[in-house]
Amino acid sequence: MYEVLKRLFDVIVSLGVLILLSPLWAAIAVIIKTDSEGPVLFKQKRVGKDNALFQIYKFRTMVVHTPDVATDKLENPKDYITKSGHWLRKTSLDELPQLINILGGEMSFVGPRPALYNQYELIRMREEMGIHKLVPGLTGYAQVKGRDLISDFEKVSHDGYYARNKCFQLDMAVLFWTVRCVVKAEGIRMDF
């Protein structure tokens, strides 16, 4: 029953938010296009349920030639971020296009954040804990427990807790905590 309720929630809310925020999307698209060359949306291979790869969508916050690695693996991230990218990341608005992934079933609102295809150690640790069997989320338990400021080991530990305790009430709590974290800009690495 939980999985059906979760999917129904994902479809109804993502569709509603997509429609409601379409003017904001248009404004962000204009800002990105006037700020730097390249597409408005950034697509990247991510690891989904059962380690299946999918294309994740985000608003582009980095210049086009940025290496395809996690931001914390870049030597000088500030050399790659666009002017609007700093603001989009701080407000988490860069994540809005993932509503398309949620509507398509590749993601959910709550679950472990999808790893990049080349984060091999994180993928391995998640397999050992059975986390790879979950649909990845726009936000997750690890996100509200430290996001960018915790190690992969800590993320996997928090994701493991979520996997063992997942229920609709926990999902709603994570969404509530996420709003708080976004408003306070907690857990976001912005040293660039």
Side-chain angles (χ1 to χ4, degrees):
M1 184 64 177
Y2 162 70
E3 297 297 332
V4 172
L5 186 59
K6 182 179 178 89
R7 182 66 188 137
L8 188 61
F9 176 86
D10 285 345
V11 169
I12 292 169
V13 175
S14 62
L15 187 58
V17 173
L18 275 166
I19 293 167
L20 185 66
L21 295 183
S22 57
L24 176 62
W25 283 49
I28 291 171
V30 169
I31 291 168
I32 291 170
K33 287 306 279 184
T34 57
D35 184 29
S36 64
E37 292 186 14
V40 169
L41 291 181
F42 170 72
K43 294 183 273 185
Q44 187 179 51
K45 280 192 286 186
R46 294 289 180 109
V47 179
K49 185 178 187 308
D50 296 322
N51 289 339
L53 294 178
F54 72 98
Q55 292 277 30
I56 196 170
Y57 299 103
K58 290 184 166 196
F59 283 122
R60 186 174 54 81
T61 60
M62 304 287 238
V63 295
V64 176
H65 66 276
T66 302
D68 196 15
V69 296
T71 306
D72 65 329
K73 302 295 187 241
L74 293 170
E75 272 190 50
N76 296 308
K78 62 182 154 203
D79 293 343
Y80 297 100
I81 194 155
T82 62
K83 291 175 189 169
S84 62
H86 186 79
W87 170 76
L88 287 169
R89 283 174 171 244
K90 186 174 181 179
T91 59
S92 296
L93 288 172
D94 63 316
E95 309 284 354
L96 281 178
Q98 289 167 46
L99 292 169
I100 298 166
N101 293 113
I102 293 171
L103 192 58
E106 300 157 323
M107 291 178 65
S108 179
F109 274 101
V110 180
R113 282 295 294 159
L116 276 81
Y117 68 94
N118 57 5
Q119 289 180 296
Y120 305 113
E121 185 62 17
L122 177 60
I123 294 166
R124 184 193 61 75
M125 287 190 293
R126 284 180 168 180
E127 282 179 356
E128 289 175 1
M129 299 275 296
I131 296 162
H132 69 292
K133 295 178 182 178
L134 300 175
V135 175
L138 176 66
T139 187
Y141 195 69
Q143 292 292 100
V144 299
K145 292 295 184 179
R147 197 172 176 175
D148 297 341
L149 306 180
I150 59 175
S151 69
D152 283 351
F153 179 80
E154 291 170 298
K155 288 176 186 176
V156 170
S157 177
H158 291 309
D159 288 336
Y161 174 86
Y162 175 77
R164 293 185 304 275
N165 296 284
K166 64 185 191 304
C167 64
F168 197 69
Q169 291 83 0
L170 180 57
D171 286 354
M172 293 303 104
V174 168
L175 287 173
F176 174 78
W177 294 329
T178 298
V179 170
R180 186 194 66 203
C181 289
V182 168
V183 168
K184 294 182 174 183
E186 291 178 344
I188 301 172
R189 183 174 172 251
M190 292 302 296
D191 55 349
F192 49 85

